[in-house]
Amino acid sequence: MIRLRPRMSPPTPGWPEYLAGRAETARDPRLARYFAAGLPGPETPIGEAPMVALDMETTGLDERRHAIVSIGVVPFTLGRIALSRRRYWVVRPSRPLSEESVTFHHITHADIARAPDLGEILDELLEALTGRLVVVHYRHIERPFLNAALKARLGEGVMFPVIDTMSLEARIHRQSLLARFKRWIGRPPASIRLYDSRARYGLPVYAGHHALIDALATAELLQAQVASHYSPTTPVGELWS
């Protein structure tokens, strides 16, 4: 079994410094509490880190033009998934639903008519994230959408390090020497979508495009990736971005 030791450039400024700085400057007390709690440092072994899988369904892919419609969170560690502490919210988007988005995630106009605004569940969401490393599959959705949503409501956003299981799959199956050789001889690149990635590890098939189910699927995928390609002693700073 090959254990990967990816080369990572540290964030600038580093995430610990950024979080500490935001704790002092955040105007909203909820954000100040979130930042003040901090996160496991970059040297923390992944096997000792508390994590939370986060998934969102949105009306589209551009946080400048689209909005969040549902959020799922599942706390976990490498050894245990805390399903009893899972949380799921449907939220009323600030922009209208499209027929395409309804078909994709099956959240309808009737669903969002009864739903709270994101600001109304923000305390609960931040509580679920506080002190835990966020794990996502494709970091260009959850972090920028949440940041944009909070800027629109509070006048200030939120940023945090994430472990992106899609990026980890890309390192293994698209950026390695073996993957590049396969492309050179004409083989198509491996799919790094969530459910194709799970299939490589023999994980069960779940229905897709539901924020809570996808959060659970992401947590299980990271556990499998670490077991197959990394180690419980791998520092989280080698995995986050």
Side-chain angles (χ1 to χ4, degrees):
M1 181 186 303
I2 299 173
R3 297 289 182 182
L4 300 184
R5 301 288 291 182
R7 292 178 294 175
M8 291 285 293
S9 299
T12 305
W15 283 116
E17 293 80 9
Y18 169 80
L19 296 171
R22 286 298 310 275
E24 295 181 359
T25 61
R27 299 184 301 276
D28 187 276
R30 295 167 293 185
L31 289 182
R33 287 193 297 269
Y34 168 77
F35 287 119
L39 291 171
E43 73 287 345
T44 305
I46 186 68
E48 299 176 12
M51 294 175 280
V52 59
L54 171 66
D55 189 83
M56 295 178 181
E57 295 298 318
T58 63
T59 60
L61 299 178
D62 185 347
E63 73 277 8
R64 297 166 297 181
R65 298 187 297 113
H66 302 123
I68 300 166
V69 293
S70 66
I71 305 170
V73 294
V74 177
F76 74 106
T77 65
L78 279 191
R80 180 173 178 269
I81 294 177
L83 274 179
S84 64
R85 296 168 61 191
R86 68 193 182 276
R87 299 300 306 273
Y88 175 71
W89 302 271
V90 174
V91 294
R92 186 173 63 252
S94 56
R95 295 173 175 86
L97 296 175
S98 66
E99 289 186 13
E100 181 180 13
S101 68
V102 171
T103 301
F104 197 69
H105 48 59
H106 305 295
I107 295 172
T108 67
H109 293 85
D111 295 324
I112 64 170
R114 308 187 291 268
D117 181 77
L118 176 64
E120 297 175 57
I121 60 98
L122 182 58
D123 283 321
E124 299 170 82
L125 175 59
L126 289 177
E127 181 182 359
L129 302 183
T130 295
R132 293 179 174 273
L133 288 176
V134 173
V135 180
V136 301
H137 193 80
Y138 190 58
R139 65 184 182 273
H140 300 296
I141 295 293
E142 284 76 16
R143 187 164 59 185
F145 267 85
L146 185 57
N147 184 55
L150 294 194
K151 282 184 175 179
R153 288 162 176 81
L154 307 177
E156 56 183 334
V158 60
M159 294 292 286
F160 42 79
V162 297
I163 297 177
D164 180 1
T165 53
M166 177 180 275
S167 291
L168 298 187
E169 282 298 283
R171 294 180 196 176
I172 299 161
H173 296 288
R174 290 191 173 182
Q175 298 166 9
S176 67
L177 288 174
L178 178 60
R180 285 185 288 215
F181 174 74
K182 288 180 178 179
R183 287 200 302 274
W184 182 74
I185 62 175
R187 293 189 185 178
S191 170
I192 54 176
R193 297 178 63 180
L194 179 58
Y195 293 93
D196 294 327
S197 297
R198 286 173 58 83
R200 281 191 284 271
Y201 299 93
L203 294 170
V205 176
Y206 294 153
H209 306 304
H210 185 287
L212 183 58
I213 294 173
D214 284 353
L216 172 60
T218 298
E220 292 178 344
L221 177 57
L222 181 69
Q223 289 177 327
Q225 288 172 323
V226 174
S228 298
H229 302 292
Y230 297 94
S231 162
T233 62
T234 300
V236 298
E238 294 188 4
L239 303 175
W240 73 19
S241 54

